């Protein structure tokens, strides 16, 4: 196994996914009081990243499941999830928590919500990964995929680590219900605007 490719893969992952640590920390903070939420978040992160890898690998072989013009519209996913989280935070603030008793007890983000945000936020990663995968060949692509999947676990650990540090945990428990929707909405708008969706 070529150490050069491993180093390149690690560097590429870090550069293209640095913002995921903040999102993961917010997700872990949101699910802090709910049993099993960490498992759901990790599962969701892996599902979303596996989808990114699958699309990038398929495109590197010439199959395009996702037209380039459709990538900016992935911003609608985090935007919708951010608006949903903002609505829930507003309802809970206004005393609507009792109406959602079962949902509040279960709590935390679902694996599909995490996967959707991961995939949408990684839409631009696909554009970076495709040429790298295409030139790396099958063996090199396999190394990239393995390194990326190992680093997803490291990213999840880092996100949880930050979410459980006393100072950060206190800030996230106090402001997380505002930060999570704000970050998701900002990510969604950024993807839409940077990609020129809806003529923006």
């Amino acid at each position: 196994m070529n150490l050069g490719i491993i180093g390149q893969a690690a560097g590429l992952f870090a550069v293209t996914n640095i913002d995921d640590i903040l999102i993961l920390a917010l997700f872990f903070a949101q699910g802090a009081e709910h049993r099993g939420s960490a498992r759901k978040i990790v599962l969701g992160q892996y599902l979303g990243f596996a989808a990114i890898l699958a699309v990038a690998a398929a495109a590197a072989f010439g199959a395009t499941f996702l037209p380039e013009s459709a990538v900016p519209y992935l911003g609608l996913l985090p935007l919708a999830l951010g608006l949903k989280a903002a609505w829930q935070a507003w309802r809970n603030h206004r005393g609507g928590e009792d109406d959602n008793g079962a949902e509040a007890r279960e709590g935390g983000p679902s694996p599909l919500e995490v996967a959707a945000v991961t995939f949408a936020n990684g839409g631009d990663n696909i554009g970076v990964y495709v040429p790298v995968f295409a030139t790396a060949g099958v063996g090199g692509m396999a190394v990239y995929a393995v390194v990326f999947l190992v680093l997803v676990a490291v990213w999840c650990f880092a996100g949880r680590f930050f979410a459980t540090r006393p100072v950060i945990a206190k800030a996230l428990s106090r402001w997380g219900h505002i930060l999570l929707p704000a970050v998701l909405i900002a990510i969604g708008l950024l993807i839409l605007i940077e990609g020129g969706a809806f003529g923006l």
Side-chain angles (χ1 to χ4, degrees), residues 102-120:
E103 195 176 330
R105 278 194 299 276
E106 201 173 284
S110 76
L112 288 179
E113 287 174 335
V114 176
V117 171
T118 302
F119 185 76

Side-chain angles (χ1 to χ4, degrees), residues 51-139:
I52 290 170
L53 281 180
V55 171
F61 284 118
T64 313
F65 298 118
L66 199 62
E68 200 172 313
S69 59
V71 171
Y73 295 96
L74 290 174
L76 293 171
L77 289 169
L79 180 62
L81 290 170
L83 291 171
K84 178 186 170 202
W87 169 251
Q88 287 175 338
W90 181 78
R91 281 188 55 187
N92 290 343
H93 177 72
R94 292 193 37 105
E97 204 166 347
D98 293 335
D99 300 338
N100 278 9
E103 195 176 330
R105 278 194 299 276
E106 201 173 284
S110 76
L112 288 179
E113 287 174 335
V114 176
V117 171
T118 302
F119 185 76
N121 194 36
D124 55 343
N125 296 14
I126 294 169
V128 177
Y129 297 162
V130 170
V132 173
F133 286 1
T135 55
V138 176

Side-chain angles (χ1 to χ4, degrees), residues 21-38:
I21 292 180
L22 170 64
I23 297 165
L24 282 166
L26 287 167
F27 277 140
F28 280 118
Q30 185 188 30
E33 302 296 318
H34 308 285
R35 199 170 54 186
S37 68

Side-chain angles (χ1 to χ4, degrees), residues 19-27 75 78-79 81-83 85-86 117 121 172 175-191:
D19 52 344
D20 274 359
I21 292 180
L22 170 64
I23 297 165
L24 282 166
L26 287 167
F27 277 140
L79 180 62
L81 290 170
L83 291 171
V117 171
N121 194 36
L172 289 177
W175 300 105
H177 66 288
I178 295 169
L179 277 175
L180 181 64
V183 168
L184 292 178
I185 289 168
I187 287 169
L189 290 174
L190 197 64
I191 293 169

